Amino acid sequence: MLLPVATMAQTPPRPLKLVAFGDSLSAGYGLPGSAAFPAVLEQALRQKGVQVEISNAGVSGDTASGGLERLDWSVPDGTDGVILELGANDALRGIDPAITEKALDAIVARLKARNIPVLLAGMYAPRNLGTDYTSRFDAMFPRLAQAHGLVLYPFFLDGIAGDRALNQADLLHPTPEGVRVIVQRILPTVERFLATLPAKS
């Protein structure tokens, strides 16, 4: 009796579909698309054997409130997870951290309602804004992560902030090498996030 060779007919599992939802730091301001954070992170994960596709939903200049307004059409159905990277422009504009936190909280809540897990990429406010502002701003990311049970990467620009060799002339946006440093540093947290995603049927 011949048994059916099911393995020959099996289709390979589809790649994980992630969305990098952020501002110019995700969009890749001043860089070719292949050097932007989502593309470089996708390549790094694929080199580790992770089948993944990362969509670039970064919009330069976007605030957390702006992200909330475009959330539903920026994160399509079928998304397995979101890397949420917003807040830097809020700090640069001196927006009240309470407004930023409310918008980020709403983004996370809306994604959770759609059963889309979130990795929260935090940001630190520029120190020249004063200790009151910076302490309020910096604290909201750990607070949101704890409230929603999120995987948190505390500081998206860790390892490159203020480094002239790793940033463009404005000292705000990373060079291609700066993006590679960001990816190298965040990669273990992304892998930990992927391990928390529900198994696909």
Side-chain angles (χ1 to χ4, degrees), residues 18-23 26 37-38 54-59 62-64 66-75 82-86 104 107 111 119:
L18 303 183
V19 172
F21 185 69
D23 49 37
S26 291
F37 168 73
I54 305 180
S55 299
N56 188 336
V59 172
D62 221 357
T63 62
L68 176 61
E69 291 177 0
R70 65 181 177 92
L71 175 64
D72 293 335
W73 57 264
S74 294
V75 180
V82 166
I83 300 173
L84 176 56
E85 176 275 307
L86 281 169
L104 290 172
I107 289 171
L111 290 171
L119 186 162

Side-chain angles (χ1 to χ4, degrees), residues 12-201:
R14 71 165 177 82
L16 282 169
K17 294 185 179 296
L18 303 183
V19 172
F21 185 69
D23 49 37
S24 57
L25 299 175
S26 291
Y29 175 86
L31 304 176
S34 60
F37 168 73
V40 178
L41 177 60
E42 178 182 304
Q43 182 183 40
L45 286 167
R46 285 182 173 269
Q47 287 174 348
K48 285 177 165 282
V50 181
Q51 294 304 306
V52 63
E53 295 175 356
I54 305 180
S55 299
N56 188 336
V59 172
S60 293
D62 221 357
T63 62
S65 297
L68 176 61
E69 291 177 0
R70 65 181 177 92
L71 175 64
D72 293 335
W73 57 264
S74 294
V75 180
D77 291 340
T79 297
D80 295 303
V82 166
I83 300 173
L84 176 56
E85 176 275 307
L86 281 169
N89 288 308
D90 297 66
L92 290 175
R93 299 178 189 184
I95 293 173
D96 185 343
I99 295 174
T100 303
E101 184 168 3
K102 182 178 180 181
L104 290 172
D105 182 76
I107 289 171
V108 173
R110 196 176 292 180
L111 290 171
K112 287 178 71 175
R114 296 173 59 191
N115 295 313
I116 299 176
V118 176
L119 186 162
L120 182 60
M123 186 58 58
Y124 295 154
R127 302 296 104 170
N128 62 356
L129 293 175
T131 55
D132 177 66
Y133 187 94
T134 56
S135 61
R136 291 172 60 215
F137 184 92
D138 296 357
M140 68 181 167
F141 294 97
R143 186 162 54 239
L144 284 166
Q146 183 174 19
H148 289 283
L150 307 179
V151 173
L152 172 67
Y153 185 67
F155 182 37
F156 187 73
L157 297 178
D158 182 49
I160 76 158
D163 190 329
R164 293 185 178 276
L166 297 175
N167 285 278
Q168 299 175 46
D170 60 11
L171 276 182
L172 295 173
H173 297 97
T175 61
E177 177 59 29
V179 172
R180 288 193 288 271
V181 172
I182 290 172
V183 167
Q184 179 185 27
R185 297 222 174 190
I186 200 175
L187 190 58
T189 302
V190 174
E191 290 179 297
R192 181 159 55 90
F193 173 63
L194 296 183
T196 70
L197 299 183
K200 294 179 297 182
S201 56

